[in-house]
Amino acid sequence: YSFGNKINKHLDYEVVLSVEKAGLCIAPAVNTYRIYPNPKPIFTAQPVLQACDSVVFELKVNDPAGISEYTWSFDPERPSNDNETGIKDDNFYIAYARPAYGEAPVEYTVHLSAKNFYGCEGEWTEKITVDPVVMHDPVLELISTVDNECRPYKATFINNTIGESSKIEYVLYIEKVETGARFQVDPEAIEGNIKDEFSYTFQESGNFKVYLEGSVAQENSACMRPLSKPVAINVKKDPNANFTVFPAEDCGSLTAVIAKTALDSEYNTWLIKDAHSGEVLYNSGRVLAATDPFHEYTFENTTDETKQYTIQLTAENSAGCAASDSMVVTVHPKPKAHFNVVAD
Protein backbone atom coordinates (compact mmCIF):
# COMPACT_ATOMS: atom_id res chain seq x y z
CA TYR A 1 0.00 0.00 0.00
CA SER A 2 1.30 3.47 -0.87
CA PHE A 3 0.82 6.23 1.65
CA GLY A 4 0.64 9.82 0.42
CA ASN A 5 0.83 13.28 1.93
CA LYS A 6 -0.33 16.37 0.02
CA ILE A 7 -0.44 18.83 2.90
CA ASN A 8 2.34 20.89 4.48
CA LYS A 9 2.69 18.87 7.68
CA HIS A 10 3.27 15.24 8.52
CA LEU A 11 0.49 12.69 8.47
CA ASP A 12 0.26 9.62 10.73
CA TYR A 13 -1.32 6.46 9.38
CA GLU A 14 -2.35 3.62 11.66
CA VAL A 15 -2.52 0.08 10.29
CA VAL A 16 -4.47 -2.43 12.38
CA LEU A 17 -4.30 -6.15 11.80
CA SER A 18 -6.98 -8.23 13.50
CA VAL A 19 -6.80 -12.02 13.57
CA GLU A 20 -9.62 -14.24 14.77
CA LYS A 21 -9.44 -17.98 15.39
CA ALA A 22 -12.38 -20.09 16.45
CA GLY A 23 -12.72 -20.07 20.15
CA LEU A 24 -9.71 -17.81 20.60
CA CYS A 25 -9.46 -14.06 21.19
CA ILE A 26 -6.32 -12.62 19.69
CA ALA A 27 -5.36 -8.99 20.30
CA PRO A 28 -5.02 -6.88 17.10
CA ALA A 29 -1.57 -5.78 15.89
CA VAL A 30 -1.19 -2.00 15.38
CA ASN A 31 1.55 -0.25 13.40
CA THR A 32 1.83 3.55 12.95
CA TYR A 33 3.43 5.12 9.87
CA ARG A 34 4.36 8.80 9.75
CA ILE A 35 4.59 10.37 6.25
CA TYR A 36 6.37 13.69 5.97
CA PRO A 37 5.38 16.16 3.24
CA ASN A 38 7.50 16.80 0.17
CA PRO A 39 8.46 20.47 -0.32
CA LYS A 40 6.61 22.35 -3.06
CA PRO A 41 9.26 24.53 -4.71
CA ILE A 42 6.89 25.99 -7.29
CA PHE A 43 8.34 29.27 -8.53
CA THR A 44 7.63 31.94 -11.13
CA ALA A 45 10.08 33.52 -13.57
CA GLN A 46 8.72 36.94 -14.51
CA PRO A 47 10.53 39.58 -16.61
CA VAL A 48 10.83 42.73 -14.50
CA LEU A 49 13.23 44.80 -16.61
CA GLN A 50 13.41 44.83 -20.40
CA ALA A 51 16.74 46.51 -21.14
CA CYS A 52 18.23 47.16 -24.58
CA ASP A 53 20.71 44.28 -24.48
CA SER A 54 19.38 42.09 -21.69
CA VAL A 55 16.29 40.95 -19.79
CA VAL A 56 16.07 40.66 -16.00
CA PHE A 57 13.82 37.98 -14.51
CA GLU A 58 12.65 37.64 -10.93
CA LEU A 59 12.70 34.05 -9.64
CA LYS A 60 10.32 33.77 -6.73
CA VAL A 61 9.19 30.64 -4.86
CA ASN A 62 5.46 30.82 -4.22
CA ASP A 63 5.50 29.06 -0.85
CA PRO A 64 8.97 28.84 0.72
CA ALA A 65 7.66 27.71 4.13
CA GLY A 66 9.50 24.65 5.40
CA ILE A 67 12.12 24.63 2.64
CA SER A 68 15.64 24.60 4.02
CA GLU A 69 17.83 23.84 1.02
CA TYR A 70 17.66 25.17 -2.56
CA THR A 71 19.53 23.86 -5.58
CA TRP A 72 19.10 25.93 -8.76
CA SER A 73 20.30 24.85 -12.20
CA PHE A 74 20.24 26.71 -15.50
CA ASP A 75 20.35 25.38 -19.06
CA PRO A 76 21.82 25.79 -21.65
CA GLU A 77 23.98 28.40 -19.90
CA ARG A 78 24.15 30.32 -16.68
CA PRO A 79 22.72 33.84 -16.38
CA SER A 80 25.02 36.69 -17.37
CA ASN A 81 24.81 38.11 -13.81
CA ASP A 82 25.37 34.76 -12.11
CA ASN A 83 28.27 36.06 -10.01
CA GLU A 84 26.23 39.03 -8.82
CA THR A 85 23.02 37.37 -7.66
CA GLY A 86 24.21 36.59 -4.13
CA ILE A 87 22.42 33.83 -2.23
CA LYS A 88 20.12 31.90 -4.51
CA ASP A 89 17.26 30.96 -2.21
CA ASP A 90 13.55 31.68 -2.61
CA ASN A 91 13.73 35.11 -4.26
CA PHE A 92 16.46 36.63 -6.47
CA TYR A 93 17.06 38.07 -9.93
CA ILE A 94 18.81 36.73 -13.01
CA ALA A 95 19.73 38.47 -16.27
CA TYR A 96 20.24 37.07 -19.74
CA ALA A 97 21.89 38.89 -22.64
CA ARG A 98 19.71 39.26 -25.70
CA PRO A 99 20.70 37.65 -28.99
CA ALA A 100 21.81 40.08 -31.70
CA TYR A 101 19.20 41.68 -33.96
CA GLY A 102 17.98 39.23 -36.58
CA GLU A 103 18.81 36.13 -34.56
CA ALA A 104 16.19 33.75 -33.20
CA PRO A 105 14.86 34.03 -29.62
CA VAL A 106 16.67 31.83 -27.09
CA GLU A 107 14.82 29.56 -24.66
CA TYR A 108 16.34 28.87 -21.26
CA THR A 109 15.35 26.29 -18.65
CA VAL A 110 15.47 27.05 -14.93
CA HIS A 111 15.20 24.09 -12.57
CA LEU A 112 14.83 24.08 -8.78
CA SER A 113 15.38 21.11 -6.47
CA ALA A 114 14.56 21.71 -2.80
CA LYS A 115 14.65 19.84 0.50
CA ASN A 116 12.77 20.44 3.70
CA PHE A 117 13.98 19.75 7.22
CA TYR A 118 12.56 16.22 7.00
CA GLY A 119 15.00 15.51 4.18
CA CYS A 120 12.20 15.14 1.65
CA GLU A 121 12.80 16.49 -1.86
CA GLY A 122 10.71 18.31 -4.48
CA GLU A 123 11.45 20.00 -7.80
CA TRP A 124 10.03 22.46 -10.32
CA THR A 125 11.00 23.64 -13.81
CA GLU A 126 10.19 26.85 -15.71
CA LYS A 127 11.11 27.87 -19.26
CA ILE A 128 11.86 31.47 -20.16
CA THR A 129 12.34 33.05 -23.58
CA VAL A 130 14.74 35.91 -24.32
CA ASP A 131 13.94 37.88 -27.47
CA PRO A 132 16.70 39.38 -29.65
CA VAL A 133 17.86 43.00 -29.61
CA VAL A 134 15.36 45.29 -31.35
CA MET A 135 17.98 47.91 -32.23
CA HIS A 136 21.68 48.43 -31.81
CA ASP A 137 23.39 51.78 -31.16
CA PRO A 138 22.40 54.52 -33.65
CA VAL A 139 24.74 55.07 -36.60
CA LEU A 140 24.56 58.35 -38.52
CA GLU A 141 26.63 59.13 -41.62
CA LEU A 142 26.96 62.21 -43.83
CA ILE A 143 26.56 61.42 -47.54
CA SER A 144 26.45 64.84 -49.27
CA THR A 145 26.57 68.60 -48.70
CA VAL A 146 26.29 71.81 -50.70
CA ASP A 147 29.35 72.71 -52.76
CA ASN A 148 30.55 75.93 -51.15
CA GLU A 149 29.61 75.14 -47.51
CA CYS A 150 27.91 78.51 -47.14
CA ARG A 151 24.54 79.02 -45.57
CA PRO A 152 21.90 77.95 -46.22
CA TYR A 153 23.88 74.72 -45.91
CA LYS A 154 21.97 71.58 -46.85
CA ALA A 155 23.45 68.38 -45.48
CA THR A 156 22.13 64.93 -46.38
CA PHE A 157 22.53 62.05 -43.94
CA ILE A 158 21.80 58.34 -43.91
CA ASN A 159 20.63 56.38 -40.88
CA ASN A 160 22.62 53.12 -40.83
CA THR A 161 21.31 51.88 -37.49
CA ILE A 162 20.81 48.12 -37.31
CA GLY A 163 17.37 47.31 -35.98
CA GLU A 164 13.66 46.91 -36.63
CA SER A 165 12.90 50.39 -37.94
CA SER A 166 9.13 50.05 -37.57
CA LYS A 167 9.54 49.90 -33.77
CA ILE A 168 12.21 52.59 -33.38
CA GLU A 169 11.66 56.29 -32.70
CA TYR A 170 14.50 58.60 -33.73
CA VAL A 171 15.39 62.12 -32.61
CA LEU A 172 17.96 64.40 -34.27
CA TYR A 173 20.12 66.71 -32.14
CA ILE A 174 22.44 69.54 -33.20
CA GLU A 175 25.14 70.97 -30.97
CA LYS A 176 26.81 74.33 -31.55
CA VAL A 177 30.47 73.71 -30.82
CA GLU A 178 31.22 77.29 -29.79
CA THR A 179 28.73 77.29 -26.91
CA GLY A 180 28.15 73.58 -26.32
CA ALA A 181 24.40 74.20 -26.54
CA ARG A 182 22.46 71.25 -27.94
CA PHE A 183 18.91 71.37 -29.24
CA GLN A 184 16.40 68.89 -30.60
CA VAL A 185 15.54 69.40 -34.24
CA ASP A 186 11.88 69.96 -35.06
CA PRO A 187 10.72 67.01 -37.22
CA GLU A 188 9.11 69.56 -39.56
CA ALA A 189 12.60 70.89 -40.36
CA ILE A 190 13.78 67.46 -41.53
CA GLU A 191 13.40 66.68 -45.20
CA GLY A 192 12.94 62.99 -45.99
CA ASN A 193 12.68 59.94 -43.73
CA ILE A 194 14.80 60.06 -40.57
CA LYS A 195 14.69 56.24 -40.51
CA ASP A 196 16.54 56.12 -43.83
CA GLU A 197 17.94 59.05 -45.86
CA PHE A 198 17.13 62.63 -44.89
CA SER A 199 18.38 66.21 -45.11
CA TYR A 200 18.63 69.21 -42.81
CA THR A 201 19.42 72.80 -43.83
CA PHE A 202 21.61 74.90 -41.53
CA GLN A 203 20.60 78.57 -41.52
CA GLU A 204 23.48 79.75 -39.30
CA SER A 205 27.23 79.87 -39.79
CA GLY A 206 29.54 78.04 -37.41
CA ASN A 207 30.80 74.61 -36.36
CA PHE A 208 28.20 72.01 -35.43
CA LYS A 209 27.92 68.40 -34.29
CA VAL A 210 24.94 66.31 -35.38
CA TYR A 211 23.71 63.35 -33.31
CA LEU A 212 21.05 60.68 -33.75
CA GLU A 213 19.16 59.15 -30.83
CA GLY A 214 17.01 56.03 -30.98
CA SER A 215 14.58 54.45 -28.55
CA VAL A 216 12.19 51.50 -28.47
CA ALA A 217 9.15 51.13 -26.23
CA GLN A 218 9.26 47.81 -24.36
CA GLU A 219 7.11 46.11 -21.76
CA ASN A 220 7.64 47.69 -18.32
CA SER A 221 10.42 49.93 -19.64
CA ALA A 222 12.02 51.53 -22.68
CA CYS A 223 15.27 50.91 -24.50
CA MET A 224 17.04 54.27 -24.84
CA ARG A 225 20.25 53.97 -26.80
CA PRO A 226 23.14 56.44 -26.35
CA LEU A 227 23.63 59.17 -28.93
CA SER A 228 25.37 58.22 -32.14
CA LYS A 229 28.92 59.31 -32.82
CA PRO A 230 28.78 62.99 -33.88
CA VAL A 231 28.93 64.12 -37.49
CA ALA A 232 30.92 67.37 -37.79
CA ILE A 233 29.46 70.16 -39.94
CA ASN A 234 31.27 73.42 -40.72
CA VAL A 235 29.11 76.19 -42.18
CA LYS A 236 31.40 78.95 -43.38
CA LYS A 237 30.84 82.45 -42.12
CA ASP A 238 29.14 85.04 -44.32
CA PRO A 239 31.00 88.28 -45.04
CA ASN A 240 29.72 91.52 -43.57
CA ALA A 241 27.93 93.64 -46.19
CA ASN A 242 27.15 96.62 -43.95
CA PHE A 243 28.05 100.14 -45.08
CA THR A 244 27.27 103.74 -44.21
CA VAL A 245 25.99 106.59 -46.37
CA PHE A 246 26.32 110.27 -45.53
CA PRO A 247 24.33 112.33 -46.12
CA ALA A 248 21.30 110.22 -46.87
CA GLU A 249 18.96 113.09 -47.67
CA ASP A 250 19.27 116.43 -49.50
CA CYS A 251 17.66 118.71 -52.05
CA GLY A 252 18.36 118.89 -55.77
CA SER A 253 21.78 117.29 -55.72
CA LEU A 254 23.27 114.85 -53.20
CA THR A 255 26.84 113.62 -53.14
CA ALA A 256 26.81 110.59 -50.89
CA VAL A 257 30.00 109.41 -49.19
CA ILE A 258 29.83 105.62 -48.98
CA ALA A 259 32.00 103.60 -46.59
CA LYS A 260 32.00 99.86 -45.98
CA THR A 261 32.10 99.08 -42.24
CA ALA A 262 33.90 95.72 -42.47
CA LEU A 263 36.92 94.49 -44.41
CA ASP A 264 36.23 90.76 -44.45
CA SER A 265 35.09 90.44 -48.06
CA GLU A 266 37.18 89.36 -51.03
CA TYR A 267 34.93 90.93 -53.68
CA ASN A 268 32.34 93.73 -53.72
CA THR A 269 29.51 94.45 -56.13
CA TRP A 270 27.78 97.85 -55.93
CA LEU A 271 24.40 98.49 -57.51
CA ILE A 272 22.44 101.75 -57.55
CA LYS A 273 18.84 101.79 -58.73
CA ASP A 274 15.92 104.16 -58.92
CA ALA A 275 13.78 102.91 -56.02
CA HIS A 276 10.56 103.64 -57.91
CA SER A 277 11.25 102.52 -61.46
CA GLY A 278 13.98 99.97 -60.77
CA GLU A 279 16.22 101.54 -63.38
CA VAL A 280 19.88 100.65 -62.79
CA LEU A 281 21.97 103.80 -62.55
CA TYR A 282 25.28 102.21 -61.62
CA ASN A 283 26.72 98.67 -61.55
CA SER A 284 30.32 98.25 -60.44
CA GLY A 285 30.51 94.61 -61.39
CA ARG A 286 32.51 92.18 -59.24
CA VAL A 287 35.62 94.05 -58.06
CA LEU A 288 38.41 93.20 -55.64
CA ALA A 289 37.56 94.63 -52.24
CA ALA A 290 41.16 95.64 -51.60
CA THR A 291 41.19 97.96 -54.63
CA ASP A 292 37.50 98.90 -54.71
CA PRO A 293 37.38 102.53 -55.96
CA PHE A 294 33.74 103.12 -55.15
CA HIS A 295 33.48 105.61 -52.28
CA GLU A 296 30.96 108.24 -53.39
CA TYR A 297 28.14 108.86 -55.81
CA THR A 298 26.26 112.00 -56.83
CA PHE A 299 22.50 111.90 -57.23
CA GLU A 300 20.70 114.61 -59.25
CA ASN A 301 16.99 115.34 -59.05
CA THR A 302 15.81 117.74 -61.73
CA THR A 303 12.14 116.88 -61.33
CA ASP A 304 9.48 118.44 -59.18
CA GLU A 305 9.02 115.26 -57.15
CA THR A 306 11.01 113.60 -54.36
CA LYS A 307 13.20 110.79 -55.68
CA GLN A 308 14.55 107.81 -53.76
CA TYR A 309 17.49 105.64 -54.74
CA THR A 310 18.65 102.26 -53.46
CA ILE A 311 22.34 101.57 -52.88
CA GLN A 312 23.02 97.83 -52.62
CA LEU A 313 26.24 96.06 -51.71
CA THR A 314 26.87 92.36 -52.30
CA ALA A 315 29.99 91.17 -50.47
CA GLU A 316 31.67 87.83 -51.21
CA ASN A 317 34.42 86.20 -49.18
CA SER A 318 37.17 83.77 -50.21
CA ALA A 319 34.95 80.79 -49.36
CA GLY A 320 32.41 81.92 -51.93
CA CYS A 321 29.85 82.95 -49.33
CA ALA A 322 27.91 86.09 -50.13
CA ALA A 323 25.78 88.59 -48.21
CA SER A 324 23.87 91.69 -49.27
CA ASP A 325 22.73 94.90 -47.65
CA SER A 326 21.08 98.04 -48.97
CA MET A 327 20.28 101.60 -47.97
CA VAL A 328 17.94 104.25 -49.40
CA VAL A 329 18.86 107.88 -50.05
CA THR A 330 16.29 110.59 -50.63
CA VAL A 331 16.70 113.60 -52.92
CA HIS A 332 13.96 116.20 -52.70
CA PRO A 333 13.27 118.58 -55.61
CA LYS A 334 15.20 121.84 -55.42
CA PRO A 335 12.82 124.69 -54.63
CA LYS A 336 12.41 127.34 -57.32
CA ALA A 337 12.43 130.95 -56.18
CA HIS A 338 9.78 132.53 -58.43
CA PHE A 339 8.06 135.83 -57.86
CA ASN A 340 6.38 138.66 -59.85
CA VAL A 341 6.92 142.41 -59.65
CA VAL A 342 3.77 144.46 -60.08
CA ALA A 343 4.12 148.28 -60.71
CA ASP A 344 1.93 150.43 -58.45
Side-chain angles (χ1 to χ4, degrees):
Y1 182 82
S2 296
F3 296 93
N5 183 355
K6 296 183 178 181
I7 64 176
N8 293 328
K9 63 180 181 179
H10 68 268
L11 286 177
D12 290 328
Y13 293 89
E14 189 175 87
V15 180
V16 179
L17 176 61
S18 297
V19 178
E20 185 177 341
K21 191 174 182 179
L24 296 175
C25 180
I26 302 173
V30 179
N31 284 315
T32 302
Y33 298 90
R34 173 164 289 184
I35 307 300
Y36 295 103
N38 286 325
K40 297 178 181 179
I42 301 172
F43 66 92
T44 57
Q46 296 295 327
V48 292
L49 177 62
Q50 300 272 2
C52 294
D53 297 309
S54 63
V55 185
V56 177
F57 295 86
E58 181 185 29
L59 302 185
K60 187 173 184 178
V61 177
N62 295 349
D63 185 8
I67 299 177
S68 58
E69 185 177 333
Y70 296 86
T71 302
W72 294 89
S73 61
F74 307 92
D75 186 69
E77 60 186 59
R78 303 185 72 81
S80 57
N81 69 329
D82 187 60
N83 295 327
E84 304 168 9
T85 56
I87 299 175
K88 297 182 180 67
D89 48 21
D90 63 311
N91 189 195
F92 63 98
Y93 298 88
I94 60 172
Y96 279 103
R98 294 183 183 273
Y101 172 75
E103 295 184 4
V106 178
E107 186 177 78
Y108 296 93
T109 299
V110 182
H111 181 79
L112 171 61
S113 296
K115 291 182 179 181
N116 56 21
F117 49 80
Y118 303 114
C120 302
E121 296 184 3
E123 59 183 24
W124 190 261
T125 299
E126 286 283 342
K127 293 185 179 296
I128 59 178
T129 301
V130 178
D131 293 322
V133 170
V134 178
M135 69 167 292
H136 291 278
D137 288 350
V139 178
L140 182 67
E141 294 184 9
L142 179 68
I143 58 176
S144 67
T145 62
V146 292
D147 293 334
N148 61 5
E149 299 182 353
C150 302
R151 70 179 187 93
Y153 180 105
K154 185 176 181 179
T156 301
F157 305 89
I158 188 166
N159 182 347
N160 283 330
T161 305
I162 297 174
E164 191 171 344
S165 61
S166 63
K167 295 183 178 180
I168 306 172
E169 294 295 330
Y170 291 104
V171 176
L172 191 68
Y173 290 94
I174 294 178
E175 176 184 318
K176 194 164 187 178
V177 175
E178 182 182 2
T179 62
R182 184 183 300 165
F183 67 91
Q184 180 179 332
V185 176
D186 186 343
E188 296 294 327
I190 297 174
E191 180 183 340
N193 185 1
I194 195 173
K195 296 185 176 184
D196 186 23
E197 184 176 314
F198 63 95
S199 300
Y200 177 78
T201 301
F202 293 82
Q203 302 295 343
E204 293 183 55
S205 301
N207 293 320
F208 302 92
K209 292 180 180 179
V210 185
Y211 301 88
L212 186 66
E213 181 185 72
S215 63
V216 177
Q218 297 184 145
E219 185 179 355
N220 301 326
S221 60
C223 168
M224 182 70 71
R225 288 292 187 181
L227 295 176
S228 65
K229 292 181 179 179
V231 175
I233 297 292
N234 177 28
V235 183
K236 294 182 178 177
K237 187 178 180 181
D238 293 341
N240 192 327
N242 295 339
F243 61 95
T244 60
V245 175
F246 183 81
E249 188 174 10
D250 209 338
C251 297
S253 177
L254 184 153
T255 299
V257 177
I258 302 165
K260 195 171 183 298
T261 57
L263 303 176
D264 60 348
S265 61
E266 188 82 9
Y267 297 96
N268 294 335
T269 301
W270 296 94
L271 194 66
I272 297 178
K273 297 187 295 184
D274 186 305
H276 178 69
S277 67
E279 178 187 359
V280 176
L281 305 178
Y282 176 80
N283 187 345
S284 69
R286 188 167 175 261
V287 297
L288 280 170
T291 58
D292 185 359
F294 186 73
H295 297 294
E296 66 177 34
Y297 188 85
T298 299
F299 299 88
E300 299 284 351
N301 183 4
T302 59
T303 70
D304 295 331
E305 298 179 353
T306 296
K307 302 279 286 184
Q308 288 188 314
Y309 304 91
T310 301
I311 306 174
Q312 178 180 304
L313 168 63
T314 299
E316 182 182 339
N317 61 20
S318 57
C321 303
S324 297
D325 196 11
S326 62
M327 295 188 69
V328 174
V329 298
T330 302
V331 182
H332 300 286
K334 192 172 184 178
K336 298 177 180 179
H338 179 78
F339 61 93
N340 292 322
V341 177
V342 179
D344 188 2

